[in-house]
Amino acid sequence: MTGFRFCPHCAGELQQEDHGGFARGVCREDGCGYIHWDNPTPVVAAVVEYDGGLILARNAAWAPGRFALVTGFLERHEDPAEAVLREVEEELGLRAVQPPTFIGHYPFERMNQLIIAYHVKAEGEVVLNEELAEWRYVRMDRAKYWPAATGLALRDWLRGQGFDPQESALPPARPE
Ligand SMILES: [Zn+2]
């Protein structure tokens, strides 16, 4: 069971029912009929290439030592390729020097998200916004990946560049 327990429209208790082969929360109150579809949320992620290496960042909400990709939600009507550039600019203060290139889609089941990953080659001076606590410059030949959605995107991009990244635990405690 995932998602809400109560109906966001009438506060009735949701019943778990099968809809199209998936268990969904359904409101059976008179005149309501709300269905919590629980569809994944799309999230863009950036493998940021910078000065010949990569930038990994620690979200302010994460434990010290955890660095991963810059990510963000789409705005209404926003193209993912535009969203990823906006996120890199907002969170790192960097501008892309060429259009982003699509890496792939990666399901992130724990968060019920679909990661839409791009490579963004960027330049400028790094200025973090309030979402990020710190950043690390990582050499491409030393970058490790973690076995979760954004880490797999990083792995696939590095492999495409001819590197053979090693797996580490969840976002590396301290990229070398
Ligand atoms: Zn309801």
Side-chain angles (χ1 to χ4, degrees):
M1 179 161 57
T2 58
F4 311 142
R5 186 166 161 217
F6 296 100
C7 176
H9 293 322
C10 74
E13 191 163 3
L14 298 180
Q15 313 296 318
Q16 292 296 311
E17 296 182 8
D18 180 271
H19 263 264
F22 294 90
R24 313 199 196 262
V26 178
C27 181
R28 287 291 166 212
E29 298 296 318
D30 285 347
C32 186
Y34 170 82
I35 300 174
H36 180 48
W37 296 101
D38 202 25
N39 301 117
T41 303
V43 171
V44 292
V47 173
V48 178
E49 181 181 350
Y50 179 75
D51 196 20
L54 300 170
I55 288 183
L56 299 181
R58 179 168 76 85
N59 189 289
W62 296 350
R66 296 217 154 191
F67 292 82
L69 306 188
V70 167
T71 60
F73 297 110
L74 296 160
E75 300 294 345
R76 187 181 290 260
H77 301 314
E78 193 173 36
D79 186 293
E82 293 171 5
V84 78
L85 297 183
R86 177 179 53 71
E87 289 291 342
V88 167
E89 184 154 6
E90 284 178 4
E91 297 194 15
L92 295 175
L94 299 178
R95 283 173 297 99
V97 299
Q98 60 193 41
T101 54
F102 179 64
I103 301 171
H105 295 123
Y106 299 85
F108 187 16
E109 291 177 18
R110 181 168 59 81
M111 296 293 287
N112 194 25
Q113 294 172 344
L114 178 69
I115 302 294
I116 307 170
Y118 290 88
H119 163 248
V120 176
K121 189 174 182 179
E123 65 178 15
E125 183 183 349
V126 178
V127 180
L128 303 182
N129 80 350
E130 72 286 350
E131 288 182 50
L132 299 180
E134 52 182 331
W135 63 285
R136 286 258 192 278
Y137 178 87
V138 183
R139 281 173 47 173
M140 289 187 197
D141 61 351
R142 293 192 184 172
K144 294 178 178 173
Y145 73 92
W146 49 97
T150 55
L152 298 178
L154 176 62
R155 177 199 66 185
D156 291 350
W157 185 79
L158 285 165
R159 284 180 177 171
Q161 301 300 303
F163 295 101
D164 183 24
Q166 301 303 299
E167 181 176 316
S168 74
L170 279 174
R174 197 162 287 275
E176 298 151 344

